[in-house]
Each structure stands twice: as structure tokens, then as C-alpha cells.
Amino acid sequence: MAAQAQPRTLFDKIWASHVVAELSGGVSLLAIDRHLMHDLEAGAIIKRIADRGLRPHNPELTFGVPDHAVATDPRRRANSTPNSERLLREMKEGSDAFGITYFDLDTEGQGIVHVIGPELGLSQPGMTIVCADSHTCTHGGLGALSFGIGATEVAHVLATQTLRQTRPKTMRVNFNGKVAAGVTAKDLILATIGKIGTGAGRGHAVEYAGDAIRAMSIDERLTVCNLSIELGAKIGMIAPDDTTFEFLAGRRYAPQGDMFERALGCWRGLPTDEGARFDVEHSIDVDTVAPQVTWGTSPQDVIAVDSRIPDPSRESDPQRRKAMEAALAYMGLAPGAAIEGTPIDWVFIGSCTNGRLSDIREAARIVAGRKIAPNVRAWVVPGSEATQRAAEREGLDKVFLSAGFEWRKSGCSMCAGVNGDIIAPGQRSVSTTNRNFVGRQGPNARTHLASPAMAAAAALSGCIADARKIG
Amino acid sequence: MEKFTQLSALAAPLMRPNIDTDAIIPVKRLIGYQRHELGAFALEPYRFRADGSENPDFVLNQPRYRGAKILVTAENFGCGSSRESAVWALMAYGFRCVIAPGFGDIFTNNAFQNGLLLIRLPREEVDRIAEELGGAPSPAMAIDLQSCTITTPAGRQLEFQIDGERRQALLEGRDEIAMTLLRDADIAAFQSHDRVARPWIYQTVPAA
Ligand code: SF4
């Protein structure tokens, strides 16, 4: 009998099949299958490469889309803001000159880079996928090895179609048990970050596993993987299965016909082998997870909506205590108070975390036939043009508009506020995004991260509310 | 990329954990500024008060730490968003080296690709250097990348570990793209094999 091959993880398999050469110091030269560009850096980097007299190594493997800087009002144009005018023009000109596909505004294809990759079938199992954005880990939801890179690395990928990478350690997070009613993928991953901390994944490629993951749709898996970087991990991934293959079949850039069958043969071999070793393992009992909401300025500052804001005076680590005090001061919250009922000014539903069709449906289910609270402003910003059109075909835009929401065009919008969509100083938002950092949604804006259902519930109630009591 | 061999310079202790890249360079500064202009906004949320005036309590604004080229800081420095401009901002401010118990992953890559030396030391060691800086008449220290040693403000010699390839790149100030293009034959060989094994990867014409 042939010797048994060493059992390997999903990560091990993809990594090994992309090594072009081993360099010194434990660095591997990795082949890159897909490179995605967004508007903030693309034009400038293409110019840098061109100025050096270089050409893209494989222009057919790079795709660009404007998302961060674009305006989101319903009548937006490329030149709606001075920034987007310049960034989009430079990106489009550079892409044309280099033969790179560019998904322009108002076409099905435009949207947040991490929403359109999966939606178009550009992102596939077993691929290496990179983009100059830390939430590139999102694509791992399809079983890809995907991670964010810096501008210099982008230039390296364009010029060589490879990257120099040090192999990370591996971590598995097992979600055991059954998710309670009214609890979403966003709640599970926020609770995980709250439990193991924003530094836990540093230096690791994280695989999410367990029955709760297997039961999730692709949209939900993408949400889980999206927050990997908030766990400190550049890479988050979920083994592909029939749910993944069904999701991809027929998508515009997915393999078609016989080629799909061939790809399938490869994809089915990707999941982690029985008995494969991880450097670190964590377990999360999902039965006990309730809807989550953040109270501080780091995603790990998170609690169940029906619990109380933690008290720094009961924290023994002095550094942590100081950080908690600073977070509460910034957020204008009192230790020991119930978080439910905290009055809010803004609700934002969108982003690469929760701006997909299923997220919009989840929020719409709660909003339907109701009105938002009088002092609240609430926006829905679909994650892509195609998402927006699909939602409109289902009449969801009407549901939100008649409740008092604004229904806008796709882009990053208030997730990072780069395009000028920001929250006024001191105002409080419930946001379906991924970062509640100081100033993320505007100077002195106070952000509470939560699921789309929780955001919808907050919009109706005018305060942080438990979606389970409304839906 | 500028070479890095030795550095004797002032060092500033900024002992706050989890300083993320949004704090190192706010997103509103990412557009409309050249790399070398970003130093004015490095650590802007801490350095300046809401009215735009300098925050006199912040360590980098204290006269004894002005002109620091070394930053000594706490856990998880550079976590958060992948923006490479965080490294540019720190370098434009004048930093050539950051010492901490740990760094954000993407920040680490960005730092080394731009010639910013990151040194990881155990938390107790970093805390001790910070204390020495606070107590020294002049908060200066020295770093030697040839020998991988640090001379602390109190004159202690410490060794540090650094990846061999990264060290070499810093010592020679060389650019990685040029190095990788020397291996284009390897890349071509990989791709021609891969085009047979996984043809769908390279077929990126969309379905009608
Ligand atoms: S939606 Fe937010 S997190 Fe996602 S890519 Fe855009 S700015 Fe980044």
C-alpha cells in the first residue's frame, strides 16, 4: 500500500499549489490568480508601473472597480465629487492603457470590490486573490485564499503576477451547536471577536468550521470571513461545498459547461483533511450567542444587546482598563448601563460586510409596513449595482423609502466616509459595517456595529433595540 | 528604497496598545496629498486637538521627544486598515524604526517594503525601554541592523530577531519588484504548467 499522504488543511493545499519558488528567510513566491483594484489606489499605482517602463504581467487576471470614493446619491456621476472625478478618470485611463477590465458606474459589475468579486464569479474556490484592501479576506467565504495587500505589493502583483509572502500559522475556529432564532452570521463573528480578541488571529490564516458554518449561505459565510481582519487575521476561509458550487454555477466569470465540471473536480479536493493539524484551535458555542452590538471603539468591545455596558473599574489589566475608559468617554456611554435603549441619530445598512441582497432582505423584513423614528436618519446603500437592481425587482426599495429610509447607489459610502458620506461629530450610528474605530465614520462620530436586523430595529425604535422583539 | 544599516537617534515612548492605521493616518488625508506631505498628519488624532492646535500632553509634542526617529510603542501597532500610507506618514514624519511587542500583519509587510524597520521585543522589554526613555536626560538609543543589536538609553545591549531576507533588503536598500523579475523564467514555467492543470483560472472572458 502507498504511504498515506500527510493530512492537510484547506489553507495548506491552496498555499502549496501556488508556490512558484521558495526564497530565503522562509519567504515563498506565490502565484496570484485574481487581483482586484479599487479606486483609491489603482490610478496612482498603474502610473507608477508605467513610469518604470513596466507592463502588467497578466492584465487578464486583474479587475478594477470604483467603490470607495464614489458618491452614492441617486443621481451620482463619476464627477460628483472632485476626488472621484480625478480618481475614476485616472483609474479608467490606466486600466484601458493596460488592458485591465474596469467595471464602470451604472453597469452590473460596479459595486464594492468585495461584493462584486463573488457576485460576478470572479472569486472562486482554491484561488489566491489579492486586493489593496484589508477586507479582501471576505472572498475566503468561497474557499479562496485571499488577503489584503499594500500599494507596493499591488505594484509587485501587476508587474510579476506573484507576491512574496511568509507563510502564516493556521487557526481553526469551530462553531458548535445550533444558532438561535434571530441570531445572524454577523452576531456569531462579532461574538467570536469579543471572546478571543482583535489580536487573536494575528499571523494566522483562520479557517471557520463546524455545523453552523456548513448551514450558512454564501452571503453569510462572506460576512464571517469579512471580519477576519478584525480578529487580526489577514486570511479567513471556509471550505467549499455544494452550497459554494451552486452559488457559483452560471455566474458571469465562473467557468462554464465542461470547464465548470473540471473545476469542480479540483474544488472538491480542497476541504481540510480529517486529522489535519492547526497551530491553534478555538471553539464557539453558538447556542448561547445573542444578537450583538458594540459599545466601544474596537470590534472586540462587543456585548449581547440584552446586557450591560462593561465597567472598566472591574478590569484588572491596567492597559485594558485605560482603553475601556477612553472608549466609553469617546462613545459617551456610562459603565453599567443597559445598552438597549441608547438613543441614536443614524442607521447605515450597507458595506462589504452586510450590503448583499440577503442582508437587505433581512432588514426589509423588519422594516416592512413600519416607519423610522422621527429623529433618525437611515440609509440603505446596496453593496453593488446588481444587488440594487435585484432588490428593486423585489420591491425592497419601496419598503425602505416608505419607512423613511434613503435608498442610495452602491459604494462604500459611510463605512469609511472617504467619499464624504459622514456622520456629524458626536452623533451616534448603528451601522452594519466592520469598524467602530475612533473617527471611522467621521470626526467624533460614534459607531455601534450590528447586524442588518439590529440596524433596522434601531432605525424604527430611535435607539439601540433588540431585533428579536420587533421581527 | 533608502538603505538602513545603523541608526543613533532620539526615541519616543507611545505606550498605548492597538494604535490602528486610522489613527496613524486618518482616511481624510489619503486623497490630495503626496507621500512626503503625510508627515504633517501622522498620528493626527492624538497630536492635535479638535480645534487643530497641538495637544501639548501628547508625547511627540513634548520638547524632549521632538525629532524622534524611533518610536517605542505597545501591542498590535498598525492594526486595522491596510493603507500603506500609514507607513509613508510615519516615515515622512521622520521615523525609521518602530519597536513594539507586536504589529499588524499588513502593516508589517508595508513597513518592510518601504524601508521602515520594525523590531519585535517581548512586552516587558519594551516597557523597560520606555521607562528608560522617560528617565534618561536625553531619550536617545542606537540600532545596528548589521549585528541585530539595540543599545538602550541606559546603555544595555539587546539582540533582536529579524527575517533574513527583510534584513538583507533593508541593508542593501533594494526593491523587490526588480528582484522578482529576475525570476521571470520560474513564473513562466509555473504558469505554463498551471494553464494545463487549471485552465479556468486564465479564461476570464465573461459568459454572454
Ligand atoms: S465597504 Fe468599508 S470595509 Fe468594505 S471595502 Fe469599502 S470601505 Fe472597506
Side-chain angles (χ1 to χ4, degrees), chain A residues 67-68 112-114 133 135 226 351-353 411-412 415-416 418 433-435 440:
Chain A
D67 56 2
H68 284 70
I112 303 169
V113 63
H114 310 309
D133 184 278
H135 291 97
N226 176 270
S351 86
C352 61
T353 311
C412 296
C415 175
V418 196
T433 54
N434 44 46
R435 285 186 175 153
R440 172 83 175 181

PDB file of all heavy atoms in Angstrom, chain A residues 67-68 112-114 133 135 226 351-353 411-412 415-416 418 433-435 440, ligand 1:
ATOM      1  N   ASP A  67     -15.367  52.217  -5.987  1.00  0.00           N
ATOM      2  CA  ASP A  67     -16.283  51.981  -4.867  1.00  0.00           C
ATOM      3  C   ASP A  67     -16.071  52.939  -3.688  1.00  0.00           C
ATOM      4  O   ASP A  67     -17.012  53.549  -3.208  1.00  0.00           O
ATOM      5  CB  ASP A  67     -16.192  50.513  -4.385  1.00  0.00           C
ATOM      6  CG  ASP A  67     -14.785  50.076  -4.005  1.00  0.00           C
ATOM      7  OD1 ASP A  67     -13.854  50.899  -4.075  1.00  0.00           O
ATOM      8  OD2 ASP A  67     -14.606  48.903  -3.628  1.00  0.00           O
ATOM      9  N   HIS A  68     -14.835  53.141  -3.270  1.00  0.00           N
ATOM     10  CA  HIS A  68     -14.597  53.935  -2.059  1.00  0.00           C
ATOM     11  C   HIS A  68     -14.965  55.414  -2.223  1.00  0.00           C
ATOM     12  O   HIS A  68     -15.556  55.999  -1.338  1.00  0.00           O
ATOM     13  CB  HIS A  68     -13.124  53.846  -1.647  1.00  0.00           C
ATOM     14  CG  HIS A  68     -12.749  52.555  -0.999  1.00  0.00           C
ATOM     15  ND1 HIS A  68     -12.694  51.366  -1.687  1.00  0.00           N
ATOM     16  CD2 HIS A  68     -12.404  52.265   0.278  1.00  0.00           C
ATOM     17  CE1 HIS A  68     -12.328  50.400  -0.853  1.00  0.00           C
ATOM     18  NE2 HIS A  68     -12.154  50.919   0.348  1.00  0.00           N
ATOM     19  N   ILE A 112     -19.027  47.434  -4.422  1.00  0.00           N
ATOM     20  CA  ILE A 112     -17.891  47.300  -3.511  1.00  0.00           C
ATOM     21  C   ILE A 112     -17.071  46.098  -3.969  1.00  0.00           C
ATOM     22  O   ILE A 112     -17.633  45.031  -4.253  1.00  0.00           O
ATOM     23  CB  ILE A 112     -18.354  47.112  -2.060  1.00  0.00           C
ATOM     24  CG1 ILE A 112     -19.252  48.276  -1.628  1.00  0.00           C
ATOM     25  CG2 ILE A 112     -17.150  46.998  -1.123  1.00  0.00           C
ATOM     26  CD1 ILE A 112     -19.969  48.036  -0.307  1.00  0.00           C
ATOM     27  N   VAL A 113     -15.781  46.278  -4.046  1.00  0.00           N
ATOM     28  CA  VAL A 113     -14.901  45.276  -4.657  1.00  0.00           C
ATOM     29  C   VAL A 113     -15.124  43.887  -4.040  1.00  0.00           C
ATOM     30  O   VAL A 113     -15.135  42.890  -4.757  1.00  0.00           O
ATOM     31  CB  VAL A 113     -13.436  45.760  -4.576  1.00  0.00           C
ATOM     32  CG1 VAL A 113     -12.954  45.918  -3.139  1.00  0.00           C
ATOM     33  CG2 VAL A 113     -12.512  44.856  -5.348  1.00  0.00           C
ATOM     34  N   HIS A 114     -15.386  43.820  -2.734  1.00  0.00           N
ATOM     35  CA  HIS A 114     -15.548  42.502  -2.097  1.00  0.00           C
ATOM     36  C   HIS A 114     -16.973  41.955  -2.242  1.00  0.00           C
ATOM     37  O   HIS A 114     -17.252  40.839  -1.844  1.00  0.00           O
ATOM     38  CB  HIS A 114     -15.167  42.563  -0.620  1.00  0.00           C
ATOM     39  CG  HIS A 114     -13.847  43.206  -0.416  1.00  0.00           C
ATOM     40  ND1 HIS A 114     -12.732  42.819  -1.113  1.00  0.00           N
ATOM     41  CD2 HIS A 114     -13.455  44.232   0.373  1.00  0.00           C
ATOM     42  CE1 HIS A 114     -11.716  43.578  -0.753  1.00  0.00           C
ATOM     43  NE2 HIS A 114     -12.124  44.446   0.139  1.00  0.00           N
ATOM     44  N   ASP A 133      -6.796  46.167  -0.002  1.00  0.00           N
ATOM     45  CA  ASP A 133      -7.816  46.497   0.987  1.00  0.00           C
ATOM     46  C   ASP A 133      -7.869  45.364   1.992  1.00  0.00           C
ATOM     47  O   ASP A 133      -7.910  44.188   1.612  1.00  0.00           O
ATOM     48  CB  ASP A 133      -9.171  46.655   0.295  1.00  0.00           C
ATOM     49  CG  ASP A 133     -10.221  47.093   1.277  1.00  0.00           C
ATOM     50  OD1 ASP A 133     -10.768  46.225   1.995  1.00  0.00           O
ATOM     51  OD2 ASP A 133     -10.472  48.301   1.361  1.00  0.00           O
ATOM     52  N   HIS A 135     -10.092  44.117   3.836  1.00  0.00           N
ATOM     53  CA  HIS A 135     -11.243  43.215   3.889  1.00  0.00           C
ATOM     54  C   HIS A 135     -11.298  42.231   2.720  1.00  0.00           C
ATOM     55  O   HIS A 135     -12.324  41.586   2.479  1.00  0.00           O
ATOM     56  CB  HIS A 135     -12.542  44.001   4.042  1.00  0.00           C
ATOM     57  CG  HIS A 135     -12.614  44.639   5.397  1.00  0.00           C
ATOM     58  ND1 HIS A 135     -12.265  45.946   5.608  1.00  0.00           N
ATOM     59  CD2 HIS A 135     -12.903  44.115   6.606  1.00  0.00           C
ATOM     60  CE1 HIS A 135     -12.352  46.210   6.898  1.00  0.00           C
ATOM     61  NE2 HIS A 135     -12.742  45.120   7.529  1.00  0.00           N
ATOM     62  N   ASN A 226     -15.357  38.245   6.227  1.00  0.00           N
ATOM     63  CA  ASN A 226     -15.088  39.683   6.144  1.00  0.00           C
ATOM     64  C   ASN A 226     -14.470  40.225   7.422  1.00  0.00           C
ATOM     65  O   ASN A 226     -13.592  41.081   7.401  1.00  0.00           O
ATOM     66  CB  ASN A 226     -16.407  40.410   5.834  1.00  0.00           C
ATOM     67  CG  ASN A 226     -16.275  41.912   5.808  1.00  0.00           C
ATOM     68  OD1 ASN A 226     -16.438  42.583   6.817  1.00  0.00           O
ATOM     69  ND2 ASN A 226     -15.956  42.455   4.644  1.00  0.00           N
ATOM     70  N   SER A 351     -22.172  48.173   3.068  1.00  0.00           N
ATOM     71  CA  SER A 351     -20.759  47.773   3.185  1.00  0.00           C
ATOM     72  C   SER A 351     -20.497  46.353   2.699  1.00  0.00           C
ATOM     73  O   SER A 351     -21.419  45.565   2.463  1.00  0.00           O
ATOM     74  CB  SER A 351     -20.221  47.921   4.608  1.00  0.00           C
ATOM     75  OG  SER A 351     -20.500  46.771   5.379  1.00  0.00           O
ATOM     76  N   CYS A 352     -19.208  46.026   2.610  1.00  0.00           N
ATOM     77  CA  CYS A 352     -18.809  44.688   2.164  1.00  0.00           C
ATOM     78  C   CYS A 352     -19.075  43.646   3.240  1.00  0.00           C
ATOM     79  O   CYS A 352     -18.990  42.452   2.984  1.00  0.00           O
ATOM     80  CB  CYS A 352     -17.341  44.673   1.753  1.00  0.00           C
ATOM     81  SG  CYS A 352     -16.205  45.102   3.072  1.00  0.00           S
ATOM     82  N   THR A 353     -19.433  44.087   4.448  1.00  0.00           N
ATOM     83  CA  THR A 353     -19.804  43.150   5.499  1.00  0.00           C
ATOM     84  C   THR A 353     -21.251  42.705   5.336  1.00  0.00           C
ATOM     85  O   THR A 353     -21.559  41.513   5.400  1.00  0.00           O
ATOM     86  CB  THR A 353     -19.653  43.807   6.887  1.00  0.00           C
ATOM     87  OG1 THR A 353     -18.380  44.419   6.975  1.00  0.00           O
ATOM     88  CG2 THR A 353     -19.827  42.797   7.998  1.00  0.00           C
ATOM     89  N   GLY A 411     -21.726  51.592  -3.191  1.00  0.00           N
ATOM     90  CA  GLY A 411     -20.372  52.052  -2.903  1.00  0.00           C
ATOM     91  C   GLY A 411     -20.087  51.836  -1.428  1.00  0.00           C
ATOM     92  O   GLY A 411     -20.938  51.322  -0.694  1.00  0.00           O
ATOM     93  N   CYS A 412     -18.897  52.224  -1.009  1.00  0.00           N
ATOM     94  CA  CYS A 412     -18.512  52.039   0.401  1.00  0.00           C
ATOM     95  C   CYS A 412     -19.221  53.031   1.313  1.00  0.00           C
ATOM     96  O   CYS A 412     -19.510  52.741   2.473  1.00  0.00           O
ATOM     97  CB  CYS A 412     -17.009  52.207   0.552  1.00  0.00           C
ATOM     98  SG  CYS A 412     -16.069  50.951  -0.325  1.00  0.00           S
ATOM     99  N   CYS A 415     -19.274  53.571   5.352  1.00  0.00           N
ATOM    100  CA  CYS A 415     -18.429  52.588   6.045  1.00  0.00           C
ATOM    101  C   CYS A 415     -17.103  53.218   6.411  1.00  0.00           C
ATOM    102  O   CYS A 415     -16.572  52.990   7.501  1.00  0.00           O
ATOM    103  CB  CYS A 415     -18.201  51.364   5.168  1.00  0.00           C
ATOM    104  SG  CYS A 415     -17.052  50.200   5.897  1.00  0.00           S
ATOM    105  N   ALA A 416     -16.551  54.010   5.496  1.00  0.00           N
ATOM    106  CA  ALA A 416     -15.261  54.652   5.762  1.00  0.00           C
ATOM    107  C   ALA A 416     -15.335  56.159   5.568  1.00  0.00           C
ATOM    108  O   ALA A 416     -14.441  56.885   5.970  1.00  0.00           O
ATOM    109  CB  ALA A 416     -14.180  54.063   4.859  1.00  0.00           C
ATOM    110  N   VAL A 418     -14.928  57.933   2.998  1.00  0.00           N
ATOM    111  CA  VAL A 418     -13.925  58.530   2.097  1.00  0.00           C
ATOM    112  C   VAL A 418     -14.580  59.430   1.059  1.00  0.00           C
ATOM    113  O   VAL A 418     -13.966  60.371   0.561  1.00  0.00           O
ATOM    114  CB  VAL A 418     -13.147  57.439   1.321  1.00  0.00           C
ATOM    115  CG1 VAL A 418     -11.897  58.005   0.708  1.00  0.00           C
ATOM    116  CG2 VAL A 418     -12.814  56.268   2.197  1.00  0.00           C
ATOM    117  N   THR A 433     -21.463  47.861   9.350  1.00  0.00           N
ATOM    118  CA  THR A 433     -20.107  47.809   8.813  1.00  0.00           C
ATOM    119  C   THR A 433     -19.207  46.969   9.719  1.00  0.00           C
ATOM    120  O   THR A 433     -19.694  46.172  10.522  1.00  0.00           O
ATOM    121  CB  THR A 433     -19.592  49.243   8.640  1.00  0.00           C
ATOM    122  OG1 THR A 433     -19.726  49.918   9.893  1.00  0.00           O
ATOM    123  CG2 THR A 433     -20.409  49.977   7.588  1.00  0.00           C
ATOM    124  N   ASN A 434     -17.897  47.167   9.598  1.00  0.00           N
ATOM    125  CA  ASN A 434     -16.966  46.295  10.309  1.00  0.00           C
ATOM    126  C   ASN A 434     -16.019  47.008  11.256  1.00  0.00           C
ATOM    127  O   ASN A 434     -15.246  46.373  11.957  1.00  0.00           O
ATOM    128  CB  ASN A 434     -16.159  45.480   9.295  1.00  0.00           C
ATOM    129  CG  ASN A 434     -15.682  46.356   8.148  1.00  0.00           C
ATOM    130  OD1 ASN A 434     -15.178  47.449   8.379  1.00  0.00           O
ATOM    131  ND2 ASN A 434     -15.870  45.905   6.926  1.00  0.00           N
ATOM    132  N   ARG A 435     -16.024  48.338  11.240  1.00  0.00           N
ATOM    133  CA  ARG A 435     -15.068  49.051  12.098  1.00  0.00           C
ATOM    134  C   ARG A 435     -15.746  50.185  12.849  1.00  0.00           C
ATOM    135  O   ARG A 435     -16.357  51.061  12.244  1.00  0.00           O
ATOM    136  CB  ARG A 435     -13.901  49.596  11.263  1.00  0.00           C
ATOM    137  CG  ARG A 435     -12.993  48.454  10.883  1.00  0.00           C
ATOM    138  CD  ARG A 435     -11.752  48.898  10.192  1.00  0.00           C
ATOM    139  NE  ARG A 435     -10.909  47.724   9.996  1.00  0.00           N
ATOM    140  CZ  ARG A 435     -10.024  47.574   9.036  1.00  0.00           C
ATOM    141  NH1 ARG A 435      -9.833  48.544   8.175  1.00  0.00           N
ATOM    142  NH2 ARG A 435      -9.319  46.474   8.952  1.00  0.00           N
ATOM    143  N   ARG A 440     -13.885  56.733  12.401  1.00  0.00           N
ATOM    144  CA  ARG A 440     -14.068  55.958  11.173  1.00  0.00           C
ATOM    145  C   ARG A 440     -15.222  56.508  10.320  1.00  0.00           C
ATOM    146  O   ARG A 440     -15.129  56.579   9.099  1.00  0.00           O
ATOM    147  CB  ARG A 440     -14.341  54.490  11.529  1.00  0.00           C
ATOM    148  CG  ARG A 440     -14.738  53.608  10.360  1.00  0.00           C
ATOM    149  CD  ARG A 440     -13.547  53.107   9.582  1.00  0.00           C
ATOM    150  NE  ARG A 440     -13.948  52.167   8.544  1.00  0.00           N
ATOM    151  CZ  ARG A 440     -13.104  51.554   7.727  1.00  0.00           C
ATOM    152  NH1 ARG A 440     -11.815  51.787   7.819  1.00  0.00           N
ATOM    153  NH2 ARG A 440     -13.531  50.718   6.825  1.00  0.00           N
TER     154      ARG A 440
HETATM  155  S1  SF4 C   1     -17.265  48.730   2.441  1.00  0.00           S
HETATM  156 FE1  SF4 C   1     -15.936  49.528   4.038  1.00  0.00          FE
HETATM  157  S2  SF4 C   1     -14.627  47.861   4.687  1.00  0.00           S
HETATM  158 FE2  SF4 C   1     -15.584  47.282   2.744  1.00  0.00          FE
HETATM  159  S3  SF4 C   1     -14.096  47.845   1.169  1.00  0.00           S
HETATM  160 FE3  SF4 C   1     -15.484  49.577   1.427  1.00  0.00          FE
HETATM  161  S4  SF4 C   1     -14.542  50.900   2.971  1.00  0.00           S
HETATM  162 FE4  SF4 C   1     -13.511  48.893   3.071  1.00  0.00          FE
END
